[in-house]
Amino acid sequence: DTGVSQDPRHKITKRGQNVTFRCDPISEHNRLYWYRQTLGQGPEFLTYFQNEAQLEKSRLLSDRFSAERPKGSFSTLEIQRTEQGDSAMYLCASSSSGTPMGTQYFGPGTRLLVL
Amino acid sequence: GQQLNQSPQSMFIQEGEDVSMNCTSSSIFNTWLWYKQDPGEGPVLLIALYKAGELTSNGRLTAQFGITRKDSFLNISASIPSDVGIYFCAGPFDEAGSYQLTFGKGTKLSVIP
C-alpha cells in the first residue's frame, strides 16, 4: 500500500517538551498538507506545501509550531514547549497538481496527548 | 472563517435502511468532498464532486453537488454494520486560490444489526 503514512501513530508527552511528527506523502504527490483535529470536530487546516515551499499557514499555527519539507518529499511538524491545548490528532494529507483542487488523501494521523 | 453545517449530527439506523445526510454553506464552493472517518484513523475520501448539479455514485453511496453550489448531500443505501463511522463534508474555500479544506463537524452514523 502506497498511501500517506505518518509516524508515530501515538505520542504522549509532558507539558513543555518538544515533539516532532513525520509524514510521508503518496510518492507522486507534490502537495502536502497538515491538519489538526480535536474531539468532536472536523480537521482544521494548519499549513500547505507545494514541493518544498510552504505556501500557506493558518493562524492556528502559532510560533511554537514549525513545519518543514526540505526535499519536497516527507515533511515534519514540530511543536515546541507543548501545552495541554495541543492535545489533538495531527493529520497529514497529500495531493497531486494533476488532480482537481481539493482532492486530498489523508494519512492515519498522529494522536498527541500532552500531560 | 467559512463554516460547513452538517445535519444530522448523529443518527441511529437499522441495518438495511437507507441513510441521507447533508451539508450546507453560506458561501459558494466549487468542489464538494465526502470523507468517512473510523475511530483513531484518518478520513478516507468517498466521493468528490466538481460541478454544480453533479450526481456521483460509489457503490452504495450517492452524492450530489447542489445547484446553488452551497449544499451537497450524501445517501447510503441498504446500510451495513461497516458503514458505522463519522461522515464529513469538506470543500476548498478557494476564493483566493487557497488549497485548504474546510470541514463540517461530521455526522456520526450508528448501524443497529
Side-chain angles (χ1 to χ4, degrees):
Chain A
D1 187 323
T2 55
V4 178
S5 61
Q6 293 188 244
D7 183 69
R9 292 293 309 274
H10 301 91
K11 178 73 178 178
I12 300 174
T13 191
K14 291 184 179 176
R15 191 175 50 186
Q17 299 293 304
N18 300 342
V19 294
T20 300
F21 310 140
R22 176 179 170 127
C23 170
D24 287 88
I26 293 171
S27 59
E28 63 269 25
H29 285 184
N30 61 333
R31 293 180 178 146
L32 186 147
Y33 315 79
W34 286 98
Y35 290 81
R36 183 178 74 180
Q37 186 177 26
T38 53
L39 207 59
Q41 303 294 320
E44 294 174 292
F45 172 81
L46 291 178
T47 190
Y48 151 62
F49 290 85
Q50 179 154 311
N51 301 313
E52 65 277 8
Q54 188 173 18
L55 297 184
E56 282 187 68
K57 285 199 281 190
S58 159
R59 58 182 169 78
L60 291 176
L61 209 69
S62 76
D63 55 7
R64 295 184 298 106
F65 288 69
S66 62
E68 293 183 344
R69 195 183 183 200
K71 296 181 182 177
S73 55
F74 74 90
S75 175
T76 57
L77 178 69
E78 181 184 15
I79 309 174
Q80 296 183 325
R81 305 180 304 281
T82 52
E83 302 172 356
Q84 288 183 326
D86 296 330
S87 296
M89 172 84 96
Y90 289 85
L91 293 161
C92 175
S94 71
S95 70
S96 165
S97 53
T99 57
M101 181 186 286
T103 310
Q104 299 175 17
Y105 297 90
F106 283 80
T110 295
R111 183 169 292 283
L112 173 67
L113 178 61
V114 182
L115 301 176
Chain B
Q2 298 307 309
Q3 286 191 326
L4 293 179
N5 301 304
Q6 284 191 248
S7 66
Q9 287 186 327
S10 63
M11 50 198 317
F12 289 81
I13 60 165
Q14 206 76 35
E15 183 178 356
E17 287 183 350
D18 297 344
V19 173
S20 185
M21 59 189 78
N22 75 328
C23 188
T24 60
S25 168
S26 57
S27 302
I28 287 173
F29 279 75
N30 291 318
T31 300
W32 284 96
L33 306 167
W34 285 94
Y35 287 88
K36 177 180 182 251
Q37 188 173 30
D38 292 330
E41 299 294 329
V44 173
L45 183 63
L46 299 173
I47 292 180
L49 302 159
Y50 303 110
K51 200 167 140 182
E54 181 181 355
L55 186 73
T56 297
S57 292
N58 178 7
R60 293 178 296 105
L61 277 60
T62 302
Q64 184 157 29
F65 192 144
I67 290 290
T68 64
R69 291 161 63 196
K70 292 184 177 181
D71 63 345
S72 177
F73 72 75
L74 175 70
N75 284 346
I76 305 172
S77 62
S79 57
I80 59 178
S82 63
D83 291 333
V84 165
I86 302 178
Y87 291 79
F88 290 100
C89 63
F93 175 58
D94 59 349
E95 185 178 83
S98 167
Y99 287 88
Q100 56 180 280
L101 289 180
T102 297
F103 282 79
K105 291 190 175 181
T107 292
K108 186 175 181 180
L109 178 64
S110 300
V111 178
I112 304 164

